[in-house]
Amino acid sequence: MVIQFFDTYTRTVRPFEPLHADEVGLYTCGPTVYDYAHIGNLRTYIFEDILRRTLAYNGYKVRHVMNITDVGHLTSDADTGEDKLEVGSRRTGRTAWDIAEEYTGAFKDDLARLNIVEPTIWCKATDHIAEQIETIRAIEANGFTYATSDGIYFDTSKLPDYGYLGRLDIEGLKAGSRVDTGEKRNPTDFALWKFSPAGSKRQMEWDSPWGIGFPGWHIECSAMAAKYLGSYFDIHCGGEDHITVHHPNEIAQSQACCNTRLANFWMHGYFLQLDETKMSKSSGEFLRLQTLIDRGYDPLAYRYFCLGAVYRAKLNFNWQSFDGAVTALNRLRQTAFEWGAPGDAVDEGYRTRFLEMINSDLNMPRALALVWELVRSDLPAPVRKATLLDFDRVFGLGLTEWQPAVQSIPDAILALVEERQRARAEKRWKDADALRDQITDAGFEIEDSPQGARVRAKS
RNA sequence: GGCGACGUGGCCAAGUGGUAAGGCAAAGCUCUGCAAAAGCUUGAUCACCGGUUCGAGUCCGGUCGUCGCCUCCA
């Protein structure tokens, strides 16, 4: 079946065809590890995971590369700010290397808790300094660089179609620029290599043909993507914020050194908004996945929440709608659990419709609606179960593993339950209701059924 | 100031020009000693105005509003 993805480069939905028959090359921009990820960041990684799982569901092998930016990402893209890792180091009194390691670990934990499949290859910027230097040399040899007092820069005016991905209005940028461009020749020029400040030693710095310093932020992606996937591969992903700066710069670098636009498809995840405002690390509420967990939420509820919207539109987060996702996921889990063991065969009709939906640019809301239709269908439970578990290869909600939590109910509560059962048997309704109130006040829920009373801790 | 996106029932959110998916919440009903849980049922003409069309949420123009990028950002 044809897979259609929206490609930011052409701004069209177009059929996806792998460049190589055997394997799809996928590069996803990873985190800068100077702080924890917030749930807005994680939305993008969930989108990329759905993309990867969709490719796999269609039978493709995927070679997935994700970078860890542990050096070079400045606090300002004007190339005048500080390295984020160095700032974090000063803030905490620990080394930049320690900080990078800690936040890398925290990031990987978050991915695991969201059931995000690990990349085939992780790559750290600091492990690939030589490759980055080589890439810069190639760009330099082709005449796209110039030096200033603080570094080696890419001259974007040498590329007639610089910024095409972002549909940048170069003249408009010049006119409306609010940033001092310093020694840069054009506002869109960017650093390939930055010199260590004279007289001070950075924690992270390397020798290079141009002097001691560190690589610019954009070069790592071009260099590492080319190393692991080749200079032209299938799909490159990132957040929507990369459409206008980071990705055009990656493309420029690849054009300058390899004469390719790096990737056949460019796909971008859109922001999570908090009460109609962007969630950011510098201002506003900073919700981490751990924050949700601390409030008693299952991290996979956040994954379900994200599946409720298409990746290519902003998604508004508030507690009312998030609680809705929590309830929906729990109902789905409980229902599926009660279906019992899956049968051998999935329902082909549902499977075909499912495939159509995920292959239409990852329309997960539609796919989820199909799940609820399946839940209400009159197919035999084993077929429904097998079909749902098959879909979950893409949803990644862990429905195969899920089972109701085994809860230990305190003996005191069990005694109250028993007493209530006696009262009910003797039709002492007032006593029974009083006992139920006692149990409820203690934080437990009671459900009467033909098989007897069930107790569980209130969620 | 420059550029761009969006505005669908209480909340979140799909939607290929042909008479509005789904989830949550709410209400009613069934079940229940009463509840809970579960099941069933019930709501929207798509910000506003004008235009194109046999027909527009879906295309064009305008108004209002919100948001994003141009500062760090997924």
PDB file of all heavy atoms in Angstrom, chain A residues 360-395:
ATOM      1  N   SER A 360      -1.695   7.441   5.693  1.00  0.00           N
ATOM      2  CA  SER A 360      -2.055   8.784   5.247  1.00  0.00           C
ATOM      3  C   SER A 360      -1.404   9.769   6.198  1.00  0.00           C
ATOM      4  O   SER A 360      -2.071  10.355   7.059  1.00  0.00           O
ATOM      5  CB  SER A 360      -3.557   9.029   5.268  1.00  0.00           C
ATOM      6  OG  SER A 360      -4.244   7.927   4.826  1.00  0.00           O
ATOM      7  N   ASP A 361      -0.111   9.913   6.064  1.00  0.00           N
ATOM      8  CA  ASP A 361       0.626  10.885   6.862  1.00  0.00           C
ATOM      9  C   ASP A 361       0.376  10.697   8.362  1.00  0.00           C
ATOM     10  O   ASP A 361       0.190  11.660   9.097  1.00  0.00           O
ATOM     11  CB  ASP A 361       0.259  12.313   6.427  1.00  0.00           C
ATOM     12  CG  ASP A 361       1.309  13.332   6.860  1.00  0.00           C
ATOM     13  OD1 ASP A 361       2.484  12.946   6.990  1.00  0.00           O
ATOM     14  OD2 ASP A 361       0.938  14.498   7.072  1.00  0.00           O
ATOM     15  N   LEU A 362       0.357   9.450   8.773  1.00  0.00           N
ATOM     16  CA  LEU A 362       0.283   9.117  10.207  1.00  0.00           C
ATOM     17  C   LEU A 362      -0.958   9.702  10.883  1.00  0.00           C
ATOM     18  O   LEU A 362      -0.844  10.425  11.875  1.00  0.00           O
ATOM     19  CB  LEU A 362       1.541   9.626  10.940  1.00  0.00           C
ATOM     20  CG  LEU A 362       2.896   9.313  10.309  1.00  0.00           C
ATOM     21  CD1 LEU A 362       4.018   9.988  11.101  1.00  0.00           C
ATOM     22  CD2 LEU A 362       3.131   7.811  10.258  1.00  0.00           C
ATOM     23  N   ASN A 363      -2.116   9.386  10.351  1.00  0.00           N
ATOM     24  CA  ASN A 363      -3.337   9.929  10.960  1.00  0.00           C
ATOM     25  C   ASN A 363      -3.751   9.076  12.157  1.00  0.00           C
ATOM     26  O   ASN A 363      -4.650   8.237  12.078  1.00  0.00           O
ATOM     27  CB  ASN A 363      -4.467  10.022   9.932  1.00  0.00           C
ATOM     28  CG  ASN A 363      -5.594  10.900  10.443  1.00  0.00           C
ATOM     29  OD1 ASN A 363      -5.887  10.902  11.638  1.00  0.00           O
ATOM     30  ND2 ASN A 363      -6.217  11.640   9.554  1.00  0.00           N
ATOM     31  N   MET A 364      -3.103   9.310  13.266  1.00  0.00           N
ATOM     32  CA  MET A 364      -3.358   8.509  14.461  1.00  0.00           C
ATOM     33  C   MET A 364      -4.728   8.762  15.087  1.00  0.00           C
ATOM     34  O   MET A 364      -5.330   7.835  15.627  1.00  0.00           O
ATOM     35  CB  MET A 364      -2.241   8.724  15.491  1.00  0.00           C
ATOM     36  CG  MET A 364      -0.855   8.404  14.964  1.00  0.00           C
ATOM     37  SD  MET A 364      -0.747   6.906  13.962  1.00  0.00           S
ATOM     38  CE  MET A 364      -0.939   5.664  15.222  1.00  0.00           C
ATOM     39  N   PRO A 365      -5.253   9.999  15.043  1.00  0.00           N
ATOM     40  CA  PRO A 365      -6.610  10.185  15.581  1.00  0.00           C
ATOM     41  C   PRO A 365      -7.622   9.281  14.872  1.00  0.00           C
ATOM     42  O   PRO A 365      -8.498   8.696  15.499  1.00  0.00           O
ATOM     43  CB  PRO A 365      -6.900  11.662  15.315  1.00  0.00           C
ATOM     44  CG  PRO A 365      -5.565  12.307  15.248  1.00  0.00           C
ATOM     45  CD  PRO A 365      -4.645  11.269  14.640  1.00  0.00           C
ATOM     46  N   ARG A 366      -7.489   9.158  13.561  1.00  0.00           N
ATOM     47  CA  ARG A 366      -8.365   8.273  12.817  1.00  0.00           C
ATOM     48  C   ARG A 366      -8.165   6.820  13.243  1.00  0.00           C
ATOM     49  O   ARG A 366      -9.114   6.066  13.420  1.00  0.00           O
ATOM     50  CB  ARG A 366      -8.082   8.402  11.313  1.00  0.00           C
ATOM     51  CG  ARG A 366      -8.865   9.494  10.642  1.00  0.00           C
ATOM     52  CD  ARG A 366     -10.332   9.132  10.635  1.00  0.00           C
ATOM     53  NE  ARG A 366     -11.155  10.142  10.005  1.00  0.00           N
ATOM     54  CZ  ARG A 366     -11.328  10.258   8.697  1.00  0.00           C
ATOM     55  NH1 ARG A 366     -10.695   9.444   7.890  1.00  0.00           N
ATOM     56  NH2 ARG A 366     -12.113  11.180   8.220  1.00  0.00           N
ATOM     57  N   ALA A 367      -6.913   6.455  13.392  1.00  0.00           N
ATOM     58  CA  ALA A 367      -6.602   5.080  13.776  1.00  0.00           C
ATOM     59  C   ALA A 367      -7.170   4.764  15.154  1.00  0.00           C
ATOM     60  O   ALA A 367      -7.677   3.662  15.395  1.00  0.00           O
ATOM     61  CB  ALA A 367      -5.083   4.872  13.761  1.00  0.00           C
ATOM     62  N   LEU A 368      -7.129   5.744  16.027  1.00  0.00           N
ATOM     63  CA  LEU A 368      -7.671   5.558  17.364  1.00  0.00           C
ATOM     64  C   LEU A 368      -9.197   5.430  17.316  1.00  0.00           C
ATOM     65  O   LEU A 368      -9.795   4.637  18.051  1.00  0.00           O
ATOM     66  CB  LEU A 368      -7.262   6.753  18.241  1.00  0.00           C
ATOM     67  CG  LEU A 368      -6.647   6.511  19.616  1.00  0.00           C
ATOM     68  CD1 LEU A 368      -5.747   5.293  19.667  1.00  0.00           C
ATOM     69  CD2 LEU A 368      -5.892   7.749  20.067  1.00  0.00           C
ATOM     70  N   ALA A 369      -9.803   6.212  16.439  1.00  0.00           N
ATOM     71  CA  ALA A 369     -11.265   6.114  16.278  1.00  0.00           C
ATOM     72  C   ALA A 369     -11.625   4.717  15.784  1.00  0.00           C
ATOM     73  O   ALA A 369     -12.643   4.141  16.178  1.00  0.00           O
ATOM     74  CB  ALA A 369     -11.760   7.183  15.298  1.00  0.00           C
ATOM     75  N   LEU A 370     -10.776   4.164  14.929  1.00  0.00           N
ATOM     76  CA  LEU A 370     -11.013   2.813  14.435  1.00  0.00           C
ATOM     77  C   LEU A 370     -10.933   1.797  15.579  1.00  0.00           C
ATOM     78  O   LEU A 370     -11.689   0.819  15.615  1.00  0.00           O
ATOM     79  CB  LEU A 370      -9.990   2.468  13.347  1.00  0.00           C
ATOM     80  CG  LEU A 370     -10.173   1.115  12.657  1.00  0.00           C
ATOM     81  CD1 LEU A 370     -11.444   1.116  11.807  1.00  0.00           C
ATOM     82  CD2 LEU A 370      -8.970   0.761  11.799  1.00  0.00           C
ATOM     83  N   VAL A 371     -10.048   2.053  16.501  1.00  0.00           N
ATOM     84  CA  VAL A 371      -9.929   1.162  17.663  1.00  0.00           C
ATOM     85  C   VAL A 371     -11.243   1.133  18.443  1.00  0.00           C
ATOM     86  O   VAL A 371     -11.726   0.066  18.836  1.00  0.00           O
ATOM     87  CB  VAL A 371      -8.771   1.614  18.583  1.00  0.00           C
ATOM     88  CG1 VAL A 371      -8.900   0.990  19.962  1.00  0.00           C
ATOM     89  CG2 VAL A 371      -7.440   1.246  17.963  1.00  0.00           C
ATOM     90  N   TRP A 372     -11.833   2.296  18.645  1.00  0.00           N
ATOM     91  CA  TRP A 372     -13.086   2.339  19.413  1.00  0.00           C
ATOM     92  C   TRP A 372     -14.218   1.681  18.633  1.00  0.00           C
ATOM     93  O   TRP A 372     -15.132   1.122  19.212  1.00  0.00           O
ATOM     94  CB  TRP A 372     -13.413   3.772  19.814  1.00  0.00           C
ATOM     95  CG  TRP A 372     -12.440   4.261  20.846  1.00  0.00           C
ATOM     96  CD1 TRP A 372     -11.401   5.135  20.648  1.00  0.00           C
ATOM     97  CD2 TRP A 372     -12.344   3.834  22.212  1.00  0.00           C
ATOM     98  NE1 TRP A 372     -10.683   5.285  21.813  1.00  0.00           N
ATOM     99  CE2 TRP A 372     -11.241   4.503  22.797  1.00  0.00           C
ATOM    100  CE3 TRP A 372     -13.095   2.959  23.015  1.00  0.00           C
ATOM    101  CZ2 TRP A 372     -10.867   4.322  24.127  1.00  0.00           C
ATOM    102  CZ3 TRP A 372     -12.713   2.790  24.338  1.00  0.00           C
ATOM    103  CH2 TRP A 372     -11.611   3.465  24.889  1.00  0.00           C
ATOM    104  N   GLU A 373     -14.130   1.779  17.317  1.00  0.00           N
ATOM    105  CA  GLU A 373     -15.119   1.068  16.498  1.00  0.00           C
ATOM    106  C   GLU A 373     -14.922  -0.437  16.671  1.00  0.00           C
ATOM    107  O   GLU A 373     -15.895  -1.192  16.782  1.00  0.00           O
ATOM    108  CB  GLU A 373     -14.941   1.473  15.028  1.00  0.00           C
ATOM    109  CG  GLU A 373     -16.012   0.900  14.108  1.00  0.00           C
ATOM    110  CD  GLU A 373     -15.765   1.273  12.649  1.00  0.00           C
ATOM    111  OE1 GLU A 373     -15.281   2.392  12.389  1.00  0.00           O
ATOM    112  OE2 GLU A 373     -16.057   0.431  11.775  1.00  0.00           O
ATOM    113  N   LEU A 374     -13.676  -0.854  16.719  1.00  0.00           N
ATOM    114  CA  LEU A 374     -13.365  -2.269  16.927  1.00  0.00           C
ATOM    115  C   LEU A 374     -13.879  -2.736  18.286  1.00  0.00           C
ATOM    116  O   LEU A 374     -14.453  -3.829  18.411  1.00  0.00           O
ATOM    117  CB  LEU A 374     -11.840  -2.471  16.835  1.00  0.00           C
ATOM    118  CG  LEU A 374     -11.311  -3.879  17.136  1.00  0.00           C
ATOM    119  CD1 LEU A 374     -11.652  -4.834  16.002  1.00  0.00           C
ATOM    120  CD2 LEU A 374      -9.801  -3.853  17.363  1.00  0.00           C
ATOM    121  N   VAL A 375     -13.691  -1.902  19.287  1.00  0.00           N
ATOM    122  CA  VAL A 375     -14.137  -2.248  20.635  1.00  0.00           C
ATOM    123  C   VAL A 375     -15.641  -2.507  20.641  1.00  0.00           C
ATOM    124  O   VAL A 375     -16.129  -3.424  21.294  1.00  0.00           O
ATOM    125  CB  VAL A 375     -13.777  -1.113  21.629  1.00  0.00           C
ATOM    126  CG1 VAL A 375     -14.516  -1.286  22.953  1.00  0.00           C
ATOM    127  CG2 VAL A 375     -12.272  -1.079  21.866  1.00  0.00           C
ATOM    128  N   ARG A 376     -16.375  -1.707  19.885  1.00  0.00           N
ATOM    129  CA  ARG A 376     -17.840  -1.833  19.885  1.00  0.00           C
ATOM    130  C   ARG A 376     -18.358  -2.798  18.825  1.00  0.00           C
ATOM    131  O   ARG A 376     -19.564  -2.997  18.710  1.00  0.00           O
ATOM    132  CB  ARG A 376     -18.473  -0.458  19.685  1.00  0.00           C
ATOM    133  CG  ARG A 376     -18.325   0.378  20.930  1.00  0.00           C
ATOM    134  CD  ARG A 376     -18.902   1.758  20.822  1.00  0.00           C
ATOM    135  NE  ARG A 376     -18.812   2.403  22.120  1.00  0.00           N
ATOM    136  CZ  ARG A 376     -17.672   2.881  22.640  1.00  0.00           C
ATOM    137  NH1 ARG A 376     -16.556   2.817  21.940  1.00  0.00           N
ATOM    138  NH2 ARG A 376     -17.652   3.417  23.846  1.00  0.00           N
ATOM    139  N   SER A 377     -17.468  -3.378  18.070  1.00  0.00           N
ATOM    140  CA  SER A 377     -17.899  -4.283  17.009  1.00  0.00           C
ATOM    141  C   SER A 377     -18.367  -5.607  17.616  1.00  0.00           C
ATOM    142  O   SER A 377     -18.147  -5.867  18.793  1.00  0.00           O
ATOM    143  CB  SER A 377     -16.743  -4.548  16.040  1.00  0.00           C
ATOM    144  OG  SER A 377     -15.824  -5.456  16.628  1.00  0.00           O
ATOM    145  N   ASP A 378     -18.997  -6.425  16.783  1.00  0.00           N
ATOM    146  CA  ASP A 378     -19.436  -7.717  17.317  1.00  0.00           C
ATOM    147  C   ASP A 378     -18.529  -8.860  16.871  1.00  0.00           C
ATOM    148  O   ASP A 378     -18.921 -10.018  16.843  1.00  0.00           O
ATOM    149  CB  ASP A 378     -20.895  -7.992  16.928  1.00  0.00           C
ATOM    150  CG  ASP A 378     -21.126  -7.754  15.448  1.00  0.00           C
ATOM    151  OD1 ASP A 378     -20.120  -7.676  14.697  1.00  0.00           O
ATOM    152  OD2 ASP A 378     -22.297  -7.628  15.046  1.00  0.00           O
ATOM    153  N   LEU A 379     -17.297  -8.523  16.517  1.00  0.00           N
ATOM    154  CA  LEU A 379     -16.329  -9.575  16.216  1.00  0.00           C
ATOM    155  C   LEU A 379     -16.046 -10.373  17.486  1.00  0.00           C
ATOM    156  O   LEU A 379     -16.153  -9.849  18.587  1.00  0.00           O
ATOM    157  CB  LEU A 379     -15.011  -8.966  15.715  1.00  0.00           C
ATOM    158  CG  LEU A 379     -15.035  -8.301  14.349  1.00  0.00           C
ATOM    159  CD1 LEU A 379     -13.740  -7.523  14.099  1.00  0.00           C
ATOM    160  CD2 LEU A 379     -15.240  -9.343  13.260  1.00  0.00           C
ATOM    161  N   PRO A 380     -15.684 -11.642  17.331  1.00  0.00           N
ATOM    162  CA  PRO A 380     -15.349 -12.442  18.518  1.00  0.00           C
ATOM    163  C   PRO A 380     -14.178 -11.808  19.276  1.00  0.00           C
ATOM    164  O   PRO A 380     -13.278 -11.246  18.663  1.00  0.00           O
ATOM    165  CB  PRO A 380     -14.925 -13.800  17.928  1.00  0.00           C
ATOM    166  CG  PRO A 380     -15.495 -13.819  16.550  1.00  0.00           C
ATOM    167  CD  PRO A 380     -15.566 -12.405  16.085  1.00  0.00           C
ATOM    168  N   ALA A 381     -14.227 -11.957  20.583  1.00  0.00           N
ATOM    169  CA  ALA A 381     -13.201 -11.322  21.424  1.00  0.00           C
ATOM    170  C   ALA A 381     -11.770 -11.697  21.009  1.00  0.00           C
ATOM    171  O   ALA A 381     -10.903 -10.823  20.956  1.00  0.00           O
ATOM    172  CB  ALA A 381     -13.438 -11.662  22.891  1.00  0.00           C
ATOM    173  N   PRO A 382     -11.493 -12.961  20.707  1.00  0.00           N
ATOM    174  CA  PRO A 382     -10.100 -13.298  20.324  1.00  0.00           C
ATOM    175  C   PRO A 382      -9.654 -12.579  19.055  1.00  0.00           C
ATOM    176  O   PRO A 382      -8.481 -12.227  18.919  1.00  0.00           O
ATOM    177  CB  PRO A 382     -10.152 -14.812  20.093  1.00  0.00           C
ATOM    178  CG  PRO A 382     -11.329 -15.279  20.881  1.00  0.00           C
ATOM    179  CD  PRO A 382     -12.327 -14.174  20.810  1.00  0.00           C
ATOM    180  N   VAL A 383     -10.584 -12.341  18.136  1.00  0.00           N
ATOM    181  CA  VAL A 383     -10.241 -11.622  16.908  1.00  0.00           C
ATOM    182  C   VAL A 383      -9.996 -10.153  17.220  1.00  0.00           C
ATOM    183  O   VAL A 383      -9.029  -9.544  16.753  1.00  0.00           O
ATOM    184  CB  VAL A 383     -11.366 -11.758  15.855  1.00  0.00           C
ATOM    185  CG1 VAL A 383     -11.026 -10.946  14.613  1.00  0.00           C
ATOM    186  CG2 VAL A 383     -11.590 -13.224  15.497  1.00  0.00           C
ATOM    187  N   ARG A 384     -10.881  -9.599  18.035  1.00  0.00           N
ATOM    188  CA  ARG A 384     -10.690  -8.198  18.417  1.00  0.00           C
ATOM    189  C   ARG A 384      -9.351  -8.015  19.120  1.00  0.00           C
ATOM    190  O   ARG A 384      -8.617  -7.068  18.849  1.00  0.00           O
ATOM    191  CB  ARG A 384     -11.820  -7.739  19.352  1.00  0.00           C
ATOM    192  CG  ARG A 384     -13.080  -7.358  18.606  1.00  0.00           C
ATOM    193  CD  ARG A 384     -14.123  -6.791  19.533  1.00  0.00           C
ATOM    194  NE  ARG A 384     -14.705  -7.822  20.386  1.00  0.00           N
ATOM    195  CZ  ARG A 384     -15.704  -7.600  21.245  1.00  0.00           C
ATOM    196  NH1 ARG A 384     -16.220  -6.393  21.369  1.00  0.00           N
ATOM    197  NH2 ARG A 384     -16.186  -8.573  21.964  1.00  0.00           N
ATOM    198  N   LYS A 385      -9.064  -8.947  19.997  1.00  0.00           N
ATOM    199  CA  LYS A 385      -7.816  -8.843  20.760  1.00  0.00           C
ATOM    200  C   LYS A 385      -6.607  -8.939  19.840  1.00  0.00           C
ATOM    201  O   LYS A 385      -5.687  -8.122  19.918  1.00  0.00           O
ATOM    202  CB  LYS A 385      -7.763  -9.956  21.815  1.00  0.00           C
ATOM    203  CG  LYS A 385      -6.542  -9.917  22.739  1.00  0.00           C
ATOM    204  CD  LYS A 385      -6.583  -8.738  23.707  1.00  0.00           C
ATOM    205  CE  LYS A 385      -5.557  -8.873  24.822  1.00  0.00           C
ATOM    206  NZ  LYS A 385      -6.005  -9.687  25.945  1.00  0.00           N
ATOM    207  N   ALA A 386      -6.624  -9.921  18.951  1.00  0.00           N
ATOM    208  CA  ALA A 386      -5.491 -10.095  18.039  1.00  0.00           C
ATOM    209  C   ALA A 386      -5.325  -8.865  17.162  1.00  0.00           C
ATOM    210  O   ALA A 386      -4.198  -8.414  16.897  1.00  0.00           O
ATOM    211  CB  ALA A 386      -5.706 -11.335  17.178  1.00  0.00           C
ATOM    212  N   THR A 387      -6.429  -8.300  16.718  1.00  0.00           N
ATOM    213  CA  THR A 387      -6.384  -7.126  15.851  1.00  0.00           C
ATOM    214  C   THR A 387      -5.829  -5.924  16.604  1.00  0.00           C
ATOM    215  O   THR A 387      -4.959  -5.201  16.109  1.00  0.00           O
ATOM    216  CB  THR A 387      -7.796  -6.819  15.305  1.00  0.00           C
ATOM    217  OG1 THR A 387      -8.318  -8.000  14.674  1.00  0.00           O
ATOM    218  CG2 THR A 387      -7.755  -5.694  14.292  1.00  0.00           C
ATOM    219  N   LEU A 388      -6.318  -5.736  17.810  1.00  0.00           N
ATOM    220  CA  LEU A 388      -5.862  -4.596  18.612  1.00  0.00           C
ATOM    221  C   LEU A 388      -4.361  -4.700  18.911  1.00  0.00           C
ATOM    222  O   LEU A 388      -3.627  -3.715  18.803  1.00  0.00           O
ATOM    223  CB  LEU A 388      -6.645  -4.509  19.917  1.00  0.00           C
ATOM    224  CG  LEU A 388      -6.249  -3.370  20.861  1.00  0.00           C
ATOM    225  CD1 LEU A 388      -6.492  -2.014  20.204  1.00  0.00           C
ATOM    226  CD2 LEU A 388      -7.022  -3.459  22.169  1.00  0.00           C
ATOM    227  N   LEU A 389      -3.929  -5.899  19.266  1.00  0.00           N
ATOM    228  CA  LEU A 389      -2.505  -6.062  19.579  1.00  0.00           C
ATOM    229  C   LEU A 389      -1.647  -5.832  18.340  1.00  0.00           C
ATOM    230  O   LEU A 389      -0.529  -5.319  18.425  1.00  0.00           O
ATOM    231  CB  LEU A 389      -2.237  -7.458  20.165  1.00  0.00           C
ATOM    232  CG  LEU A 389      -2.872  -7.726  21.536  1.00  0.00           C
ATOM    233  CD1 LEU A 389      -2.451  -9.099  22.057  1.00  0.00           C
ATOM    234  CD2 LEU A 389      -2.551  -6.648  22.540  1.00  0.00           C
ATOM    235  N   ASP A 390      -2.197  -6.205  17.194  1.00  0.00           N
ATOM    236  CA  ASP A 390      -1.480  -5.940  15.947  1.00  0.00           C
ATOM    237  C   ASP A 390      -1.331  -4.429  15.747  1.00  0.00           C
ATOM    238  O   ASP A 390      -0.239  -3.939  15.427  1.00  0.00           O
ATOM    239  CB  ASP A 390      -2.249  -6.569  14.776  1.00  0.00           C
ATOM    240  CG  ASP A 390      -1.537  -6.350  13.455  1.00  0.00           C
ATOM    241  OD1 ASP A 390      -0.385  -6.798  13.333  1.00  0.00           O
ATOM    242  OD2 ASP A 390      -2.126  -5.714  12.559  1.00  0.00           O
ATOM    243  N   PHE A 391      -2.408  -3.689  15.968  1.00  0.00           N
ATOM    244  CA  PHE A 391      -2.347  -2.220  15.835  1.00  0.00           C
ATOM    245  C   PHE A 391      -1.355  -1.631  16.833  1.00  0.00           C
ATOM    246  O   PHE A 391      -0.706  -0.627  16.563  1.00  0.00           O
ATOM    247  CB  PHE A 391      -3.718  -1.587  16.098  1.00  0.00           C
ATOM    248  CG  PHE A 391      -4.781  -1.927  15.086  1.00  0.00           C
ATOM    249  CD1 PHE A 391      -6.077  -1.459  15.263  1.00  0.00           C
ATOM    250  CD2 PHE A 391      -4.505  -2.689  13.962  1.00  0.00           C
ATOM    251  CE1 PHE A 391      -7.071  -1.759  14.341  1.00  0.00           C
ATOM    252  CE2 PHE A 391      -5.495  -2.994  13.037  1.00  0.00           C
ATOM    253  CZ  PHE A 391      -6.788  -2.522  13.231  1.00  0.00           C
ATOM    254  N   ASP A 392      -1.276  -2.262  17.982  1.00  0.00           N
ATOM    255  CA  ASP A 392      -0.429  -1.699  19.036  1.00  0.00           C
ATOM    256  C   ASP A 392       1.050  -1.765  18.688  1.00  0.00           C
ATOM    257  O   ASP A 392       1.869  -1.129  19.344  1.00  0.00           O
ATOM    258  CB  ASP A 392      -0.702  -2.394  20.377  1.00  0.00           C
ATOM    259  CG  ASP A 392      -0.229  -1.548  21.560  1.00  0.00           C
ATOM    260  OD1 ASP A 392      -0.473  -0.321  21.532  1.00  0.00           O
ATOM    261  OD2 ASP A 392       0.392  -2.095  22.482  1.00  0.00           O
ATOM    262  N   ARG A 393       1.396  -2.513  17.653  1.00  0.00           N
ATOM    263  CA  ARG A 393       2.780  -2.464  17.178  1.00  0.00           C
ATOM    264  C   ARG A 393       3.107  -1.039  16.748  1.00  0.00           C
ATOM    265  O   ARG A 393       4.265  -0.627  16.780  1.00  0.00           O
ATOM    266  CB  ARG A 393       2.979  -3.407  15.989  1.00  0.00           C
ATOM    267  CG  ARG A 393       2.959  -4.890  16.392  1.00  0.00           C
ATOM    268  CD  ARG A 393       2.682  -5.794  15.212  1.00  0.00           C
ATOM    269  NE  ARG A 393       3.544  -5.522  14.071  1.00  0.00           N
ATOM    270  CZ  ARG A 393       3.257  -5.843  12.814  1.00  0.00           C
ATOM    271  NH1 ARG A 393       2.106  -6.467  12.533  1.00  0.00           N
ATOM    272  NH2 ARG A 393       4.090  -5.586  11.842  1.00  0.00           N
ATOM    273  N   VAL A 394       2.079  -0.296  16.315  1.00  0.00           N
ATOM    274  CA  VAL A 394       2.298   1.098  15.929  1.00  0.00           C
ATOM    275  C   VAL A 394       1.969   2.047  17.091  1.00  0.00           C
ATOM    276  O   VAL A 394       2.746   2.958  17.395  1.00  0.00           O
ATOM    277  CB  VAL A 394       1.448   1.473  14.697  1.00  0.00           C
ATOM    278  CG1 VAL A 394       1.638   2.952  14.349  1.00  0.00           C
ATOM    279  CG2 VAL A 394       1.840   0.594  13.522  1.00  0.00           C
ATOM    280  N   PHE A 395       0.837   1.823  17.746  1.00  0.00           N
ATOM    281  CA  PHE A 395       0.468   2.706  18.863  1.00  0.00           C
ATOM    282  C   PHE A 395       1.527   2.690  19.964  1.00  0.00           C
ATOM    283  O   PHE A 395       1.824   3.707  20.564  1.00  0.00           O
ATOM    284  CB  PHE A 395      -0.872   2.282  19.478  1.00  0.00           C
ATOM    285  CG  PHE A 395      -2.052   2.495  18.583  1.00  0.00           C
ATOM    286  CD1 PHE A 395      -2.995   1.489  18.386  1.00  0.00           C
ATOM    287  CD2 PHE A 395      -2.245   3.718  17.941  1.00  0.00           C
ATOM    288  CE1 PHE A 395      -4.092   1.695  17.569  1.00  0.00           C
ATOM    289  CE2 PHE A 395      -3.347   3.931  17.121  1.00  0.00           C
ATOM    290  CZ  PHE A 395      -4.277   2.908  16.926  1.00  0.00           C
TER     291      PHE A 395
END
